[in-house]
Amino acid sequence: MNRVSLWTIVLSGAALMLPAAALAEDGDAAKEAMIARAMSAGPAQIADDAKIVHHDGSVLREGSNGWTCMPSMGPGMDFPMCNDATWMAFMQAFAEKKDPNPTGVGVSYMFAGDVPVNNDDPFDTTQDPGETWVAEGPHIMVIVPDAATTLKDMTNNPNAGGPYVMFKNTPYAHIMIPTGPRPEPGDK
């Protein structure tokens, strides 16, 4: 039996034995854990008043400062992030494979790092020989209007030792600013 189906059976059986009040408490504890995870993505002065949104779009906590933090980006992408409104619009365009065309600077914090991605092709899902893939550690991401012109002279080499452009020469080009070490291969 694979691990997923075993855990499904174990958790389903355990849930049947818990009283309704305990299930509500567990739900509250899980929600609070997701909120804490989302808040860990950015600086406290932003995360403390940010809206917290699950990757499915459900609001876990309302916010008051125009920022949105998420505990993960989706199944298998357990990396929290905090985004300003410009970055949220950028993410929506990315999800729909549309050009984002930001009119101002956008900022995103990912203090827990990110999943490995092809630094040149935003939609590549398979690492092939010769491609530049990077699993960034803690970092800040910045988008700018007219990235093709603004970022044309900035390196896209993630190993250059400082900020670099991810997805250069695509509509999704943005600045990556590492703030800590990268994970070792095999680390999450």
Side-chain angles (χ1 to χ4, degrees):
M1 179 177 297
N2 69 40
R3 185 166 47 175
V4 173
S5 61
L6 175 62
W7 277 112
T8 302
I9 292 168
V10 169
L11 293 174
S12 297
L16 292 173
M17 293 183 269
L18 293 173
L23 287 175
E25 280 183 28
D26 286 348
D28 288 344
K31 179 179 175 181
E32 290 305 315
M34 284 191 284
I35 290 171
R37 176 102 175 118
M39 291 175 63
S40 73
Q45 64 267 33
I46 289 172
D48 286 351
D49 296 318
K51 181 182 196 177
I52 309 295
V53 177
H54 190 274
H55 68 81
D56 68 6
S58 61
V59 176
L60 302 171
R61 184 189 79 191
E62 291 296 338
S64 61
N65 64 1
W67 286 78
T68 302
C69 298
M70 297 173 285
S72 74
M73 294 181 289
M77 297 173 48
D78 190 27
F79 294 92
M81 65 190 319
C82 286
N83 307 313
D84 67 10
T86 302
W87 196 270
M88 290 301 290
F90 179 90
M91 287 184 57
Q92 184 66 38
F94 185 88
E96 296 171 359
K97 295 186 178 180
K98 294 181 179 176
D99 289 358
N101 299 317
T103 58
V105 173
V107 177
S108 176
Y109 293 93
M110 292 188 77
F111 287 169
D114 200 355
V115 296
V117 296
N118 181 324
N119 196 57
D120 300 317
D121 182 349
F123 299 107
D124 188 0
T125 59
T126 305
Q127 187 171 359
D128 296 316
E131 294 178 335
T132 303
W133 281 64
V134 60
E136 197 56 73
H139 63 281
I140 300 167
M141 298 180 290
V142 179
I143 52 175
V144 296
D146 191 21
T149 302
T150 307
L151 305 178
K152 70 178 174 63
D153 294 326
M154 187 173 191
T155 185
N156 66 330
N157 180 351
N159 301 309
Y164 62 94
V165 179
M166 180 171 276
F167 306 145
K168 193 169 189 171
N169 302 317
T170 77
Y172 310 103
H174 60 278
I175 302 167
M176 296 287 287
I177 306 170
T179 61
R182 285 193 182 132
E184 293 295 322
D187 287 352
K188 184 177 174 188

